Amino acid sequence: MKILKTKLLLVILVACTFLGCKENVQPPKAVGPVPTQKQIEWQEMERYAFIHFTTNTFTNKEWGFGDESPTIFNPTQLDCRQWARIVKEAGLTGIILTAKHHDGFCLWPSKYTDHSVEQSPWKDGTGDVVRELSEACKEFDLKFGLYLSPWDRNHPEYGRDGYIKYFRNQLQELLTSYGEVFEMWFDGANGGTGYYGGANERRKINTLTYYDWDETYRLIREWSPKTLVWGIGPAEARWIGNEHGEANPTNWSPYRQKDRLAGKVHYKENMTGHEDGEKWVPGEADVSIRPGWFYHKVEDEKVKSVERLMEIYYHTVGRNATLLLNLPVDRRGLIHEIDEARLKAWAKAIKQEFQTEVLANSKASATDVRGNSKTYAAKNVLDNDKNTYWATNDSVTAASLTFEFKQPTTLNRVLLQEYIALGQRVRKFNVAAQVNGKWETIAEQTTIGYKRILKTKRVEATALRINISSSKACPLISNVKAYNAPLTIKAPSIKRDKKGLVTINAAEGEEIFYTTDGNEPTLASKKYTEPFQFSNAVVIKAIAHHKGEKNSSEASTAKYGKAKAKWSVVSVSGEQLGSANNMVDSNPQSIWTSNKKNKLPLSIVIDMGEMQTIKGFTYMPRQIGNGLNLISGYAFYTSSNKRNWKKQSEGEFSNILNNPILQRKHFSATKARYIKLVAKSQVSGGNRISIGEIGVE
Ligand code: FUL
């Protein structure tokens, strides 16, 4: 009898081992902070659109001062359905609209102000962009989100108690009148000069205390519990720390928000999050498809290339962040045709990139499986079910997953996902491929999180292995995929030096074809063989082509004014010239920095060597380094003789701190030989300024 009993137990044990006895295996416990269901659904949206549109679109500015008349807001063909269609076709999952930017103009007829579409000629003041877009989003099955700038350069009460009531009233209006809002976006840029109801002054506030975010968030949750709040205060998602679409390869969703609120965390840490963060605050990376956030005709040739958009995709969605891609709407009230075409090409490229999945039919095994249970088996990572995952036993924090192929298989991309509902765990892993019987490491990485996508070299493997070498607790992997993405040819790089010598480079062995008349290059265009001279203003476009291949690269475009061969810096107020000519050497990487003892305002006088007709100037800020010493307030003058100066432009380089791109300012065409840039203020209130390049247009 006893023997029989023991035999029975043994049979049960063996059966459990092979079949998996769910009831006996404890599920893993959560580790560290975990996301809410709202945060999980938000992360699954992966990439969605931003739309920047307001009076700035009509004044050609990035930041309005707040004194703009609503009468200038007059789009001729505004069509929110066009925006929604383009966004949907691009594979994006939602749209966040700037309902009110820093200038205070409201795209909806707010009952709390006159400074809105109601006072504009558009639809004789009866229109409501927020309503039209919310309806278009419903029609195209997109989620709808809103940006409401906490900084309001128009409102007389901004900076005082009265504005908080106004701000919350507007929030309530927006969150309760237009259906579900998936995300509320609170911009960090706040305080400074403005119109403020006619006061025309500088107002400074403490962003953390002024808005009483705890109470504001409580109200938001009351009005709209499904809305995820982004940005300042106790937010549910964080800024990624830059405006160029770049998360760090190591990217934790946990975050030390308490320290951040106490001012102890530098915003650059937002790119990485914190392994020991006390709260789940995943990163969202915002970036514009053009250099600026608002539409400017001069940026029509600066729409990001498919190559760049792809890189952004890998550096955001592929690094455990969401991607918020801005599409500026133009003066007609439409997304421009160039942007639309680029988005279409990008969507097609993403489709091709992830078309050939190769792991689905492989055999998955693992060095350790939780309780030897089917529930946590290795093959769960291949079943396309986000709720099933491979898990190890609690004591095992280093383990590997192996996928064996039936025959040698080519791959160059690996995608991994953790089951984040129980926390982000993996600290370190590598990917190895078995090639000709030998294991070769093809990637060595740190975090995974919701999603990690790796580009690897192309290998023909008989097996693939994911080695997790360090994890906060037993790893939980819900999905692994590998792809054989098509090879793409990199677009050439174009450079022109001070004297007008043009050099075009592509990868070794590739042919280059180019045009200098603005037309798209083809294989019938001029073939590049060596550097050539082009001193006049020109648009150069070039493609690279791999002999024998059907496809060429995308075209790269470079636009130049007249070459600066005769340019020189004549004087810089208060100091020796030193390396001042770096500002006019056609190389933005070589910079000039003012003497630290010199105080602003500071004037830079440049001789262009001959009379020229100019209609604008450009300022390329220093791009690399910790102290970019950015100019914020400027004045610009021209002269034909260096004695009589005419002021052509004066104002601010808006948003330069977050987005230090080429600044372009235009005025009526004028003839001049000398130009003078006066740096009136520096972005962080200091005196030191740095300049990469100054040019004219
Ligand atoms: C920044 C703002 O100042 C810009 O104008 C833009 O709205 C960007 C998304 O955020 O901080």
Side-chain angles (χ1 to χ4, degrees):
M1 190 64 179
K2 212 174 175 192
I3 293 175
L4 250 178
K5 246 191 187 170
T6 324
K7 265 194 178 164
L8 198 70
L9 271 176
L10 211 73
V11 169
I12 293 174
L13 204 79
V14 170
C16 274
T17 309
F18 288 105
L19 302 172
C21 287
K22 237 197 240 163
E23 56 281 8
N24 284 341
V25 183
Q26 287 297 314
K29 289 205 178 69
V31 163
V34 293
T36 58
Q37 187 53 32
K38 182 166 66 179
Q39 285 172 315
I40 293 180
E41 283 165 24
W42 170 87
Q43 187 105 41
E44 286 171 356
M45 289 179 66
E46 296 198 357
R47 53 194 167 112
Y48 36 91
F50 219 168
I51 296 244
H52 272 65
F53 187 45
T54 184
T55 46
N56 290 348
T57 314
F58 301 87
T59 55
N60 215 8
K61 287 188 179 171
E62 277 289 295
W63 282 1
F65 193 69
D67 58 352
E68 296 74 19
S69 163
T71 55
I72 60 173
F73 183 83
N74 196 12
T76 46
Q77 303 168 43
L78 188 136
D79 182 3
C80 292
R81 294 185 68 255
Q82 186 244 17
W83 314 353
R85 175 184 58 73
I86 292 171
V87 165
K88 186 79 188 177
E89 284 169 3
L92 302 166
T93 52
I95 304 182
I96 299 179
L97 171 70
T98 53
K100 177 180 92 171
H101 203 250
H102 309 325
D103 55 83
F105 179 76
C106 300
L107 292 184
W108 80 104
S110 170
K111 61 177 185 229
Y112 302 103
T113 180
D114 280 347
H115 199 59
S116 78
V117 278
E118 214 170 351
Q119 297 297 320
S120 79
W122 176 60
K123 294 198 167 176
D124 293 326
T126 62
D128 182 344
V129 187
V130 177
R131 172 134 352 258
E132 290 192 15
L133 184 61
S134 65
E135 283 167 3
C137 281
K138 266 187 215 113
E139 183 184 336
F140 286 86
D141 191 25
L142 292 164
K143 291 200 183 174
F144 174 64
L146 288 165
Y147 167 118
L148 183 73
S149 172
W151 184 20
D152 189 322
R153 294 174 110 182
N154 172 266
H155 204 273
E157 291 299 302
Y158 171 81
R160 307 186 182 126
D161 289 351
Y163 176 70
I164 298 302
K165 179 97 193 108
Y166 174 73
F167 179 65
R168 289 187 182 154
N169 279 339
Q170 292 203 317
L171 260 178
Q172 182 174 22
E173 210 175 24
L174 287 170
L175 290 173
T176 55
S177 323
Y178 297 99
E180 215 167 90
V181 173
F182 83 94
E183 180 170 333
M184 190 70 231
W185 218 88
F186 290 137
D187 203 318
N190 208 328
T193 55
Y195 174 69
Y196 307 125
N200 288 312
E201 60 188 10
R202 177 180 292 276
R203 292 190 185 171
K204 235 183 146 188
I205 51 110
N206 177 335
T207 353
L208 291 180
T209 49
Y210 180 51
Y211 296 88
D212 185 353
W213 287 116
D214 285 331
E215 175 59 8
T216 306
Y217 275 59
R218 192 192 62 73
L219 291 168
I220 295 172
R221 275 193 286 271
E222 190 180 302
W223 297 321
S224 183
K226 289 198 174 148
T227 302
L228 175 137
V229 194
W230 180 97
I232 328 171
E236 294 159 288
R238 64 176 205 264
W239 182 42
I240 209 66
N242 61 69
E243 292 187 355
H244 46 263
E246 181 101 4
N248 259 341
T250 301
N251 184 14
W252 293 95
S253 293
Y255 183 60
R256 292 201 292 266
Q257 194 172 65
K258 268 197 206 134
D259 285 356
R260 170 79 186 136
L261 295 177
K264 288 190 223 153
V265 165
H266 192 273
Y267 72 84
K268 286 206 169 135
E269 289 171 52
N270 284 10
M271 284 179 81
T272 309
H274 301 119
E275 184 184 333
D276 60 355
E278 80 286 345
K279 190 170 160 188
W280 188 272
V281 194
E284 175 194 83
D286 56 322
V287 58
S288 184
I289 195 165
R290 291 166 174 244
W293 292 95
F294 287 92
Y295 176 82
H296 309 288
K297 184 151 184 36
V298 290
E299 290 180 357
D300 280 355
E301 318 98 33
K302 299 254 175 210
V303 179
K304 291 193 169 60
S305 64
V306 174
E307 196 174 304
R308 178 71 192 115
L309 290 171
M310 256 332 220
E311 187 175 43
I312 288 173
Y313 177 79
Y314 276 100
H315 289 184
T316 55
V317 178
R319 289 180 178 172
N320 188 35
T322 60
L323 166 59
L324 174 58
L325 179 65
N326 181 61
L327 314 171
V329 161
D330 66 17
R331 288 187 186 177
R332 295 170 302 173
L334 299 174
I335 293 174
H336 196 276
E337 291 74 2
I338 299 179
D339 308 47
E340 178 179 5
R342 205 57 51 83
L343 284 165
K344 264 202 184 126
W346 176 51
K348 191 172 157 205
I350 291 192
K351 211 170 159 202
Q352 282 169 353
E353 192 89 352
F354 302 108
Q355 199 152 42
T356 318
E357 206 285 320
V358 300
L359 278 195
N361 295 320
S362 67
K363 194 171 148 268
S365 60
T367 48
D368 188 84
V369 172
R370 192 175 189 80
N372 278 329
S373 156
K374 250 192 181 172
T375 316
Y376 302 107
K379 67 175 179 5
N380 289 348
V381 303
L382 297 178
D383 67 1
N384 287 322
D385 180 346
K386 62 182 182 193
N387 296 317
T388 65
Y389 52 91
W390 162 64
T392 63
N393 286 295
D394 281 336
S395 57
V396 178
T397 52
S400 19
L401 266 177
T402 302
F403 305 90
E404 285 166 79
F405 299 117
K406 289 194 189 88
Q407 61 227 16
T409 300
T410 311
L411 61 96
N412 56 3
R413 303 284 186 271
V414 179
L415 180 152
L416 300 132
Q417 292 189 274
E418 279 186 79
Y419 181 72
I420 55 166
L422 294 175
Q424 188 179 344
R425 297 159 179 246
V426 176
R427 290 192 190 103
K428 212 169 173 227
F429 70 99
N430 70 43
V431 181
Q434 192 183 47
V435 181
N436 294 328
K438 274 201 193 130
W439 283 102
E440 193 186 318
T441 304
I442 55 170
E444 204 138 4
Q445 287 299 335
T446 51
T447 54
I448 298 176
Y450 163 73
K451 190 173 266 188
R452 190 73 204 275
I453 319 176
L454 306 173
K455 281 186 172 181
T456 70
K457 67 172 185 175
R458 177 170 281 193
V459 287
E460 201 174 291
T462 42
L464 188 76
R465 181 169 287 162
I466 314 294
N467 289 307
I468 295 169
S469 51
S470 174
S471 179
K472 279 167 94 174
C474 62
L476 314 180
I477 306 294
S478 67
N479 187 25
V480 183
K481 294 203 183 302
Y483 301 91
N484 182 16
L487 285 181
T488 46
I489 304 173
K490 244 181 134 35
S493 71
I494 309 172
K495 275 199 188 122
R496 192 179 78 168
D497 71 7
K498 186 174 168 163
K499 295 196 171 123
L501 192 72
V502 179
T503 312
I504 313 181
N505 284 313
E508 227 186 280
E510 269 156 22
E511 302 175 316
I512 299 169
F513 298 90
Y514 71 97
T515 61
T516 50
D517 57 4
N519 285 327
E520 289 309 312
T522 64
L523 300 186
S525 305
K526 207 160 182 179
K527 190 167 171 182
Y528 175 85
T529 47
E530 57 184 4
F532 60 90
Q533 191 66 30
F534 214 117
S535 308
N536 280 335
V538 65
V539 176
I540 301 173
K541 294 188 176 210
I543 50 168
H545 180 78
H546 206 82
K547 258 199 166 158
E549 300 253 347
K550 268 194 273 158
N551 296 339
S552 303
S553 75
E554 248 185 300
S556 27
T557 305
K559 193 176 177 198
Y560 299 106
K562 262 189 147 193
K564 294 178 186 167
K566 297 184 185 159
W567 283 44
S568 61
V569 177
V570 176
S571 65
V572 177
S573 58
E575 57 184 86
Q576 306 278 316
L577 281 183
S579 57
N581 277 311
N582 283 354
M583 287 184 259
V584 295
D585 65 354
S586 299
N587 176 9
Q589 265 94 44
S590 70
I591 58 156
W592 168 82
T593 299
S594 65
N595 193 307
K596 60 171 175 273
K597 290 194 197 115
N598 212 347
K599 294 255 179 311
L600 297 182
L602 185 152
S603 303
I604 299 155
V605 177
I606 295 168
D607 179 3
M608 298 190 289
E610 61 193 347
M611 288 295 276
Q612 290 198 35
T613 303
I614 62 174
K615 52 183 192 335
F617 80 97
T618 58
Y619 152 48
M620 182 57 145
R622 175 180 181 173
Q623 296 294 298
I624 299 164
N626 280 334
L628 298 186
N629 306 323
L630 303 158
I631 305 172
S632 53
Y634 76 92
F636 186 82
Y637 301 79
T638 56
S639 167
S640 55
N641 54 18
K642 236 187 337 163
R643 281 186 306 277
N644 310 325
W645 292 96
K646 185 165 182 250
K647 194 195 282 175
Q648 301 290 359
S649 173
E650 183 167 21
E652 67 178 1
F653 298 121
S654 314
N655 197 29
I656 194 165
L657 182 63
N658 290 325
N659 200 15
I661 54 170
L662 180 75
Q663 307 291 312
R664 304 167 90 172
K665 296 288 178 184
H666 292 107
F667 38 81
S668 318
T670 185
K671 279 202 160 153
R673 169 163 172 179
Y674 300 93
I675 57 175
K676 177 160 72 181
L677 175 67
V678 181
K680 293 171 68 182
S681 56
Q682 199 243 41
V683 87
S684 23
N687 278 297
R688 212 154 192 213
I689 57 158
S690 292
I691 294 177
E693 195 72 18
I694 292 178
V696 292
E697 301 202 313

